[in-house]
Amino acid sequence: MDVIKRLNSMRLERNMSVYRLAELSGINQSTLANTFSRGTVPSIRHLEMLCTALGCTLAQFFTQDEAHMDLTPQEQLLINNYRKLPETIRFSISTLVNTVPSIQN
């Protein structure tokens, strides 16, 4: 898999400039521009930040053959904020959210 081509393809599918992707991912714009122009594969940490900005997980990024799930900006924000929470709070929120469908039935 060509990681740079995949990132660029996903960025273009979302009509996103390199500048905007840098803003959303928190990666310096010049670092990101160099990644694309020089073909330098980003670190796993940066790749994860880019995937989050592009609305996918690392697993979805590397799974080309399966349809990926596009996240709305609201869903992306929810996931980003969730990831910033301490593990105990994330567990509580997951438990709550996962019980809602059974309550509604």
Side-chain angles (χ1 to χ4, degrees):
M1 164 187 269
D2 187 326
V3 172
I4 303 302
K5 282 184 181 177
R6 176 96 166 116
L7 283 171
N8 201 40
S9 172
M10 292 177 73
R11 177 182 69 80
L12 294 173
E13 285 172 6
R14 290 156 176 76
N15 297 317
M16 195 180 291
S17 67
V18 173
Y19 176 78
R20 182 68 178 142
L21 182 56
E23 275 186 327
L24 292 173
S25 67
I27 298 172
N28 183 289
Q29 181 188 1
S30 63
T31 301
L32 195 53
N34 285 335
T35 296
F36 285 111
S37 65
R38 294 182 183 164
T40 307
V41 177
S43 67
I44 294 295
R45 185 176 135 259
H46 277 183
L47 187 55
E48 187 171 27
M49 293 165 70
L50 291 167
C51 285
T52 299
L54 291 167
C56 71
T57 64
L58 276 174
Q60 290 168 328
F61 178 82
F62 286 108
T63 308
Q64 288 182 329
D65 297 333
E66 295 180 23
H68 65 277
M69 180 180 9
D70 289 323
L71 300 176
T72 66
Q74 184 179 12
E75 291 168 330
Q76 290 176 23
L77 179 63
L78 180 66
I79 290 170
N80 289 338
N81 287 334
Y82 173 83
R83 289 178 177 165
K84 294 175 188 176
L85 296 171
E87 181 62 34
T88 54
I89 295 186
R90 286 196 316 238
F91 178 79
S92 296
I93 289 173
S94 295
T95 303
L96 175 67
V97 169
N98 291 329
T99 59
V100 170
S102 62
I103 293 170
Q104 290 181 344
N105 291 333

